[in-house]
Amino acid sequence: MADTPSVEEVEKGDDYYHVRFRDPDEFDTIRTPDWAENAAGSVVEGSEVRTGHEKEGGDDDWEIQSVLVPVDEVDGEDEAKDRAQEIAEKIES
């Protein structure tokens, strides 16, 4: 994975803030890997990380596409954005 990305967009859903770091159209496959669950959950319980495989990329070309932060675990969009950034930094380090 590359350097820690910057947040592009935050959308509030019924259950999660969807904090997007990269456009999903950049990827040919998007997954929610089990290995990222511990890192995400250690920052905000119930968070999920979605990673994408770059189009035309090699086996190791997976990047964080977005982080889902539970609405009930944060106090608004700004905190969701901050916690998602913290999760991304933890995974990228």
Side-chain angles (χ1 to χ4, degrees):
M1 293 198 184
D3 294 330
T4 303
S6 297
V7 173
E8 288 185 357
E9 182 179 352
V10 180
E11 296 176 5
K12 183 181 180 188
D14 291 337
D15 299 319
Y16 292 95
Y17 285 100
H18 187 173
V19 183
R20 189 171 89 178
F21 291 93
R22 294 181 176 88
D23 187 336
D25 293 337
E26 293 179 23
F27 306 105
D28 57 13
T29 304
I30 294 179
R31 295 187 180 147
T32 305
D34 291 338
W35 58 262
E37 187 175 329
N38 287 340
S42 71
V43 176
V44 178
E45 185 69 32
S47 294
E48 297 178 9
V49 177
R50 291 185 177 163
T51 59
H53 184 262
E54 294 179 345
K55 293 179 180 178
E56 309 296 324
D59 290 345
D60 294 335
D61 291 332
W62 288 86
E63 304 287 344
I64 294 174
Q65 189 273 321
S66 62
V67 175
L68 301 178
V69 180
V71 170
D72 295 341
E73 297 294 324
V74 292
D75 188 24
E77 187 176 300
D78 287 340
E79 185 179 357
K81 181 179 174 180
D82 291 345
R83 297 296 75 80
Q85 188 72 47
E86 189 177 337
I87 291 166
E89 289 170 2
K90 190 169 197 167
I91 288 172
E92 297 286 342
S93 64

